[in-house]
Amino acid sequence: SEAANCAANGNNACAFAALDKIPQAQRDAEYLLLRSTVLLSAGRVDEARTEIDAALQKDANSGAAYALRAVIAVALNENEAALADARRAVELSPQSAAATIALSYALQANLQLAPARAALLELVELQPEDALAWARLAELHLMLGNLKEANAAAERAVALQPGLGRTQSVLGFTALAAIDTA
């Protein structure tokens, strides 16, 4: 959809405009989750939470909604709630990269780095073309002091999506950790 394309390109104004064009009758759980994602990228956390709760009222089995709620909870230091929501997200959407990535953040927030990395290792095995999963795996390898593995995962992320800022950032951090200032 136009709104999703705008959101993927970081153009919140375009995304909000496209979302506003969608008729009220078509504003389902998926619409609410996309709107919550755009609200989050605009820093409007309370409004995003409201949209996520509304999405869960429309679809109580939305793994994506639980994943978003988990990420918000991590950011707000609501670590137990984050872990519960992330586990629910993975339970409902076991093939979802977003759910597993949310679980990795929740595990990290609860000081469980090895299980967070294990979840990402499983994810990249199942979805080897997911650049964000590789970037997140690189971050976890870095946290655990595994520089060689971090660099390999970061390079894989960049190879998959060189234009994605997240992949470039994590590659830069792995170089910094290795004191490779070039």
Side-chain angles (χ1 to χ4, degrees):
S1 76
E2 179 186 355
N5 288 335
C6 292
N9 291 320
N11 188 340
N12 291 343
C14 170
F16 281 125
L19 286 166
D20 288 344
K21 292 178 193 173
I22 296 174
Q24 191 70 34
Q26 295 176 15
R27 295 182 179 186
D28 58 4
E30 188 176 324
Y31 164 89
L32 293 166
L33 291 177
L34 179 55
R35 182 166 164 69
S36 69
T37 300
V38 177
L39 287 164
L40 282 174
S41 70
R44 296 162 57 182
V45 176
D46 291 336
E47 291 173 79
R49 280 182 127 175
T50 299
E51 297 293 283
I52 294 166
D53 290 343
L56 284 168
Q57 288 178 358
K58 289 181 182 274
D59 180 4
N61 294 317
S62 172
Y66 283 101
L68 277 172
R69 206 163 78 170
V71 171
I72 291 171
V74 166
L76 297 174
N77 290 321
E78 298 169 357
N79 297 339
E80 289 180 29
L83 195 52
D85 281 342
R87 285 193 169 130
R88 182 74 174 137
V90 171
E91 177 185 314
L92 293 169
S93 302
Q95 301 299 314
S96 166
T100 301
I101 290 169
L103 178 60
S104 77
Y105 281 115
L107 288 165
Q108 176 187 338
N110 283 279
L111 306 176
Q112 297 178 38
L113 295 179
R117 181 185 55 192
L120 263 294
L121 286 168
E122 287 180 30
L123 177 60
V124 297
E125 189 173 312
L126 292 171
Q127 298 183 30
E129 303 304 311
D130 191 310
L132 287 176
W134 282 102
R136 179 67 181 135
L137 178 59
E139 292 171 354
L140 288 162
H141 278 310
L142 267 178
M143 287 176 229
L144 291 165
N146 303 323
L147 298 182
K148 184 177 178 183
E149 292 90 346
N151 190 62
E155 286 181 353
R156 179 70 190 264
V158 169
L160 290 169
Q161 276 192 279
L164 189 63
R166 179 92 182 269
T167 63
Q168 295 292 336
S169 295
V170 76
L171 183 60
F173 279 111
T174 62
L176 184 61
I179 312 173
D180 181 0
T181 57

